[in-house]
Amino acid sequence: MSGEEKKTGRERGEEWWQTDIIEMRPGVIRLRGYEIQDLIGHVSFPAMIWLMLRGELPSEEQAALLGIALGAAVDHGPQAPSIAIARMAATCGVGINSAMASAINVLGDVHGGAGEQALAFYGDIAVAQDAGSALADAVSTRLDRFFAEDKGYVPGFGHRFHPVDPRAPRLLEVTRDFAARGVVGGRFADIAEAVEAEVARRKGKKIPLNIDGATAVIYGELGFPPPLTRGLFVLSRSVGILAHAWEQSQQSDRNKGPLPREWLWAYTGTPVRAFP
């Protein structure tokens, strides 16, 4: 018999899925090697997120900074598509999980993905710095490439609703405070401010940092890769989605659409015509 044929059913089952995250069997749950009963009551939710994603426990201050970023982006009102969708779904008679899933599924490149894009943008500048470029030169070169290849807004800057996103300056202030205490280095905060200044110089007006750009600064400072930035935003916004879905489910509206009934859409198709 071959070695594969000699394997027991249990051994084959253990090879079906492989994970470094969790060990679980009757009476035992270990996350990244830690007994769950030792984590309960001692590890905060942001610290648990860090442990699950990174494999090690963060320091208390690292967990605190992560929690601050997560808390800042929980909601932006029913004009945000994800929140509106959660509320509309709740009026259709679906459960909380379906309302939340409907909302989370629209957190894509345009609505929800800007933080990932911003951190990738900052990362390109950091790579150029590591290769010997001065910050100003690295920022200018990256913006040259962006404006030559892409259309639209530099990711992480500007807001269609707020002249200045009230969350962003505070998050940058907090980041600077944590950097002053040596928790993070402050590099991504420097990059974000340099990008903001260079965009203002080129455009002739300031286009301020927004929530996506500011949280990307924190996630970059904490060492998270860009794709996880989007996942962290989903975790954050899920709090607001849950709150709105629950609130709407307690109201009497049924089949509530995106507009009041008296406000119909603009029809731009073929004018009325006789059937031949």
Side-chain angles (χ1 to χ4, degrees), residues 173-251:
E173 178 185 13
V174 168
T175 303
R176 292 296 189 193
D177 178 54
F178 276 76
R181 301 202 304 271
V183 180
V184 295
R187 182 185 201 183
F188 287 91
D190 291 340
I191 290 172
E193 289 184 337
V195 172
E196 184 179 66
E198 179 61 14
V199 169
R201 187 189 70 79
R202 296 186 184 207
K203 297 285 188 180
K205 62 178 181 179
K206 186 175 182 178
I207 301 177
L209 191 70
N210 62 29
I211 182 65
D212 300 304
T215 52
V217 165
I218 291 177
Y219 296 142
E221 294 285 355
L222 292 174
F224 288 95
L228 281 182
T229 299
R230 186 182 306 213
L232 291 167
F233 175 78
V234 171
L235 285 176
S236 174
R237 185 52 56 89
S238 292
V239 177
I241 289 169
L242 173 60
H244 281 273
W246 174 247
E247 180 183 64
Q248 189 66 56
S249 73
Q250 303 306 296
Q251 299 175 8

Side-chain angles (χ1 to χ4, degrees), residues 13-169:
E14 288 174 343
E15 292 179 358
W16 186 258
W17 295 115
Q18 295 184 22
T19 178
D20 293 336
I21 297 170
I22 183 169
E23 180 183 1
M24 193 278 293
R25 60 180 182 271
V28 173
I29 302 173
R30 296 190 185 101
L31 299 176
R32 300 292 193 179
Y34 293 105
E35 301 284 358
I36 188 64
Q37 59 267 34
D38 293 336
L39 296 171
I40 293 172
H42 295 101
V43 175
S44 68
F45 187 46
M48 186 66 82
I49 293 170
W50 184 297
L51 173 64
M52 293 292 284
L53 295 176
R54 306 280 286 270
E56 298 294 340
L57 286 168
S59 69
E60 287 188 9
E61 291 207 293
Q62 286 173 324
L65 185 54
L66 175 59
I68 288 167
L70 291 168
V74 294
D75 192 12
H76 198 238
Q79 89 290 335
S82 56
I83 301 297
I85 287 169
R87 298 193 74 114
M88 285 189 289
T91 70
C92 296
V94 302
I96 285 286
N97 60 315
S98 296
M100 292 184 70
S102 298
I104 289 167
N105 278 336
V106 301
L107 294 177
D109 289 343
V110 175
H111 176 41
E116 176 183 354
Q117 297 155 13
L119 184 52
F121 194 94
Y122 301 158
D124 290 342
I125 294 168
V127 168
Q129 286 183 283
D130 290 341
S133 293
L135 175 57
D137 293 336
V139 167
S140 182
T141 298
R142 184 63 185 90
L143 284 172
D144 286 342
R145 191 164 85 249
F146 176 83
F147 289 122
E149 298 173 355
D150 297 281
K151 295 180 180 179
Y153 301 104
V154 176
F157 294 84
H159 202 287
R160 65 187 180 91
F161 191 85
H162 303 291
V164 176
D165 188 328
R167 300 162 292 188

